[in-house]
Amino acid sequence: MAGNDRPLPATFLLTRNAALDLRRIHARSRREWGDDVADRYLADLYAAMGDAAANPEKGRLRQHRAAPFLMVAVRQHFVIYDLVPQGIAVLTVQHQVRDVDTLIAEQTPVFHNEVERLKRKACSRPFPRVGAKAHRGLAAEWV
């Protein structure tokens, strides 16, 4: 590569649903266990999303379902995602006791529309990288 042409690091994008999921997880964790525990838990979720963006193949492919998707387990939650040109689009973050397959089947049209919108936007502008510190106040931009 010539000059400053370095490849951009893989990133993760949050759908509206995922951003709301993270906000709810953080709020409940704060009520139940306090700020420090809630912040650490959310930091772990963000770190896992970054890892999934860098290594999307490590996610468990759920292809024999109503809608194929990838997911990784993080503590008590599943991060459910799909691939986009910049890395991954996090569709939702759900507690492991939830029936994820049913949830995805019910939300497939919404998820499909958001992922397609993210893929279209990938060609029009670069997205900001969402980092582990973005969880403070949930300032992570969703697109």
Side-chain angles (χ1 to χ4, degrees), residues 27-38:
R28 180 167 185 212
S29 295
R30 285 182 66 204
R31 280 192 312 271
E32 300 275 335
W33 300 287
D35 288 341
D36 290 341
V37 171

Side-chain angles (χ1 to χ4, degrees), residues 12-13 28 39-40 48 64 85 87-89 92 99-100 125 127 139-140:
F12 62 89
L13 307 171
R28 180 167 185 212
D39 288 349
R40 280 194 307 270
H64 302 293
I88 65 169
T92 186
D99 181 354
V100 173
R125 69 179 175 97
F127 290 94

Side-chain angles (χ1 to χ4, degrees), residues 20 52 55 66-67 76 105 138:
L20 291 172
N55 302 293
Q76 299 299 312
L138 293 172

Side-chain angles (χ1 to χ4, degrees), residues 72-87:
V72 293
V74 184
R75 290 186 165 204
Q76 299 299 312
H77 285 82
F78 289 121
V79 173
I80 299 162
Y81 62 95
D82 198 1
L83 302 177
V84 294
Q86 327 62 332

